[in-house]
């Protein structure tokens, strides 16, 4: 989660907002709410003290009127000492403020306790002139409930902060996500749907630029295919004519020379055939069950390797796998052909195993290997290692380019491991 742009941005925004919120509450609490609370508690404490003093000094007959007056107009109640008091555990700091204020005014320790069964009402015993007076007041009498205010504020504001930042970040990351998906599709040789060119200016511009690039790439690919396909096709006719002319030459012509030319023409035809295959891409093909053993045996028969170059085939005669048969044939043909051509006449081994839905086929040779710096490049069209270029029976350098194209289009995977001098091993996962 924290690896994605969405996760990171929302984390930063939410935590910044929360820190800001807590700081605001702390500052407001310290400079505003706390002093107001103290002031309130102080006022109430002095009212209680004043009432107690007045009560004690009043003549007996007027005391009841005074008590009635207090409860009616000031919400202060007279206790008779029969109230059951609970342990005083104060959630709100106001009680502590009041206790402090009363204690300092009276010069002795004063406790405020709630009444058992009526936790709303609190009582305080005040000793004045050898007498103890019990005065009660209700919870709501002591003003703002600081901790609750802070708690509700934090709760509501954090929920708002989280939601709004998630909403905001989603708005920003969604187009970036779409862009990355579309770029991946182009990378795999596909055509993505055009991106929506809307939203904030920068994102809309990016989408527009990307869409243009995507169409440009498609056009370029199409032009290249048409052009090269056309050239390859048109070269076939003059080649055929050359071959016919070569066959009609009088016997007096040097046969070695003419057979060399015939070989060159063969070679050119092979290149053209392979190139047309590459530019045409893959035809639509259905998935069908393929007997892997039969397929590989057929390919080996086509290639006709030297007798010495025995192929070690992992033997599982009845093994079938549902896949694109023609595409798999082309890929395996090129890989086995290479293993045999560049395997220095050493045995080649082919094995396969199924892991879940994936079939892994590995072709290993014991040739001279492919140096690290060439391992990626050999998948480019016409790229051949120096050693193979000098070879008399040269290939075209298109085999692996075709393999690469099929692998990408079918969503398969290919991995190559090769150590110079001891051979190459290529695994395809389909
Ligand atoms: P073709 O189009 O006939 O297959 P090619 O074999 O030369 O021609 P690729 O199959 O594309 O072309 O291979 C490109 C190059 O990679 C080869 O020329 C060769 O130098 C090198 N190469 C490929 N496979 C191996 C291998 N198993 N061992 C060593 N080198 C290899
Ligand atoms: Mg090849």
């Amino acid at each position: 989660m924290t690896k994605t742009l969405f996760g990171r941005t929302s984390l930063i925004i939410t935590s910044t907002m929360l820190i800001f919120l807590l700081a605001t509450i702390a500052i407001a609490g310290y400079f505003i709410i706390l002093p107001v609370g103290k002031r309130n508690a102080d006022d109430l404490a002095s009212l209680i003290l004043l009432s107690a003093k007045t009560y004690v000094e009043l003549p007996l007959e007027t005391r009841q009127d005074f008590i009635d007056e207090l409860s009616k107009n000031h919400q202060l109640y007279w206790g008779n000492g029969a109230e059951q008091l609970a342990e005083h555990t104060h959630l709100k700091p106001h009680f502590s403020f009041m206790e402090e204020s009363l204690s300092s005014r009276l010069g002795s320790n004063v406790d405020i306790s709630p009444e058992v069964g009526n936790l709303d009402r609190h009582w305080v015993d005040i000793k004045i002139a050898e007498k103890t007076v019990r005065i009660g007041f209700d919870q709501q009498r002591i003003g703002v409930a600081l901790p609750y205010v802070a708690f509700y504020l934090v709760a509501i504001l954090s929920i708002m902060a989280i939601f709004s930042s998630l909403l905001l970040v989603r708005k920003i990351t969604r187009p970036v996500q779409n862009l990355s998906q579309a770029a991946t599709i182009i990378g795999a040789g596909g055509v993505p749907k055009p991106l929506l060119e809307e939203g904030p200016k920068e994102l809309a511009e990016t989408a527009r630029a990307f869409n243009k690039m995507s169409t440009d790439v498609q056009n370029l690919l199409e032009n290249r295919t048409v052009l090269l396909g056309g050239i390859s096709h048109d070269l076939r006719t003059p080649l055929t004519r050359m071959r016919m002319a070569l066959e009609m030459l009088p016997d007096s012509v040097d046969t070695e020379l003419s057979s060399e030319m015939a070989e060159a023409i063969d070679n050119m035809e092979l290149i053209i055939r392979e190139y047309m295959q590459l530019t045409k891409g893959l035809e639509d093909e259905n998935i069908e069950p393929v007997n892997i053993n039969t397929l590989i045996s057929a390919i080996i028969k086509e290639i006709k390797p030297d007798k010495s170059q025995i192929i070690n085939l992992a033997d599982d005669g009845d093994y079938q796998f549902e896949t694109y048969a023609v595409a798999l044939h082309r890929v395996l043909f090129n890989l086995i052909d290479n293993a045999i051509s560049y395997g220095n006449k050493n045995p080649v081994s082919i094995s396969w195993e199924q892991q879940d839905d994936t079939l892994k086929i590995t072709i290993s040779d014991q040739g001279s290997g492919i140096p690290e710096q060439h391992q990626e490049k050999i998948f480019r069209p016409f790229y051949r290692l120096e050693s193979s270029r000098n070879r008399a029976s040269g290939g075209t350098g298109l085999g692996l380019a075709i393999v690469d194209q099929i692998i990408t289009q079918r969503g398969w995977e290919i991995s190559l491991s090769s150590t110079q001098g001891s051979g190459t091993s290529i695994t395809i996962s389909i």
Side-chain angles (χ1 to χ4, degrees):
M1 175 73 179
T2 47
K3 280 210 172 130
T4 58
L5 181 63
F6 179 77
R8 278 186 197 178
T9 325
S10 39
L11 196 72
I12 292 174
I13 295 188
T14 333
S15 43
T16 321
M17 281 175 102
L18 278 181
I19 292 171
F20 173 73
L21 203 73
L22 290 176
T24 315
I25 287 174
I27 293 170
Y30 189 78
F31 290 106
I32 302 169
I33 307 182
L34 217 60
V36 170
K38 270 191 180 150
R39 185 54 173 279
N40 258 349
D42 207 38
D43 286 351
L44 187 58
S46 67
L47 182 64
I48 287 175
L49 223 57
L50 186 70
S51 311
K53 271 186 196 151
T54 320
Y55 177 85
V56 176
E57 283 160 13
L58 277 179
L60 277 176
E61 59 275 17
T62 52
R63 283 187 180 172
Q64 191 53 47
D65 286 345
F66 178 67
I67 292 174
D68 292 346
E69 159 81 16
L70 267 186
S71 79
K72 218 173 108 200
N73 292 332
H74 299 282
Q75 286 79 44
L76 289 182
Y77 310 101
W78 232 254
N80 51 20
E83 295 84 12
Q84 293 252 353
L85 299 189
E87 186 104 17
H88 66 292
T89 44
H90 302 317
L91 267 182
K92 301 182 182 179
H94 298 76
F95 291 108
S96 315
F97 297 158
M98 264 184 82
E99 282 173 352
E100 271 168 36
S101 168
L102 286 169
S103 302
S104 76
R105 281 162 200 263
L106 283 171
S108 65
N109 201 31
V110 175
D111 283 339
I112 299 176
S113 310
E115 184 178 320
V116 174
N118 182 10
L119 292 178
D120 231 16
R121 180 153 303 172
H122 288 69
W123 296 97
V124 51
D125 288 336
I126 294 178
K127 285 200 186 71
I128 272 186
E130 313 288 295
K131 273 193 165 172
T132 304
V133 203
R134 175 168 289 180
I135 299 180
F137 60 94
D138 286 339
Q139 175 120 294
Q140 57 268 32
R141 187 75 174 69
I142 57 165
V144 215
L146 175 63
Y148 295 107
V149 171
F151 175 77
Y152 287 127
L153 262 181
V154 173
I156 294 173
L157 289 182
S158 11
I159 291 173
M160 278 170 62
I162 291 169
F163 268 95
S164 57
S165 63
L166 287 186
L167 218 73
L168 184 80
V169 173
R170 222 178 134 76
K171 254 192 130 50
I172 299 173
T173 50
R174 178 63 74 65
V176 178
Q177 232 169 23
N178 292 345
L179 190 69
S180 126
Q181 276 165 3
T184 315
I185 294 178
I186 290 191
V191 185
K193 268 192 269 170
L195 298 173
L196 289 178
E197 298 170 9
E198 56 179 27
K201 191 166 157 259
E202 294 86 344
L203 292 174
E205 269 170 12
T206 313
R208 203 168 304 130
F210 182 87
N211 285 342
K212 184 173 179 313
M213 187 198 75
S214 166
T215 359
D216 286 352
V217 169
Q218 290 318 315
N219 288 342
L220 213 64
L221 285 178
E222 267 164 34
N223 289 348
R224 188 194 71 171
T225 311
V226 171
L227 187 73
L228 293 176
I231 292 176
S232 312
H233 186 264
D234 291 354
L235 277 177
R236 280 175 139 182
T237 325
L239 272 178
T240 317
R241 250 190 262 135
M242 272 168 81
R243 188 196 294 285
M244 276 166 64
L246 199 62
E247 277 164 11
M248 283 191 291
L249 281 179
D251 291 342
S252 57
V253 177
D254 185 347
T255 48
E256 200 178 321
L257 206 64
S258 68
S259 72
E260 236 173 64
M261 277 185 77
E263 204 176 286
I265 292 173
D266 278 350
N267 213 357
M268 280 161 92
E269 277 182 333
L270 177 77
I271 296 177
I272 289 172
R273 209 171 36 243
E274 282 195 355
Y275 210 88
M276 283 176 72
Q277 216 175 55
L278 185 69
T279 50
K280 230 176 23 204
L282 283 173
E283 306 84 30
D284 278 338
E285 192 194 350
N286 287 328
I287 288 181
E288 54 184 291
V290 178
N291 182 315
I292 303 295
N293 208 319
T294 315
L295 173 67
I296 294 176
S297 304
I299 292 172
I300 294 171
K301 226 182 233 168
E302 266 178 80
I303 300 174
K304 297 193 204 82
D306 271 2
K307 285 260 157 17
S308 63
Q309 209 163 11
I310 320 142
I311 305 261
N312 297 317
L313 200 62
D315 200 18
D316 184 2
D318 292 330
Y319 181 72
Q320 298 236 354
F321 191 76
E322 302 249 334
T323 189
Y324 300 99
V326 178
L328 182 61
H329 182 130
R330 253 191 234 168
V331 168
L332 286 180
F333 180 91
N334 279 300
L335 295 179
I336 297 174
D337 185 42
N338 283 351
I340 289 169
S341 310
Y342 310 114
N344 292 350
K345 304 216 182 309
N346 293 320
V348 168
S349 77
I350 303 170
S351 62
W352 62 89
E353 56 168 343
Q354 188 172 351
Q355 281 174 3
D356 303 324
D357 288 346
T358 312
L359 175 66
K360 289 185 174 222
I361 306 180
T362 304
I363 297 137
S364 309
D365 65 53
Q366 297 166 33
S368 39
I370 304 158
E372 177 95 41
Q373 70 269 27
H374 296 291
Q375 286 181 5
E376 213 186 296
K377 297 183 188 149
I378 53 167
F379 291 95
R380 296 180 189 164
F382 300 117
Y383 194 90
R384 312 191 66 211
L385 299 188
E386 206 56 51
S387 50
S388 349
R389 259 190 231 135
N390 302 332
R391 206 180 282 261
S393 62
T396 61
L398 284 173
L400 288 179
I402 292 172
V403 168
D404 188 55
Q405 187 188 43
I406 295 175
I407 296 272
T408 318
Q409 282 183 356
R410 289 288 180 237
W412 297 344
E413 274 168 31
I414 188 162
S415 69
L416 181 153
S417 84
S418 177
T419 25
Q420 223 172 335
S422 59
T424 304
S425 174
I426 295 186
T427 302
I428 53 165
S429 310
I430 60 178

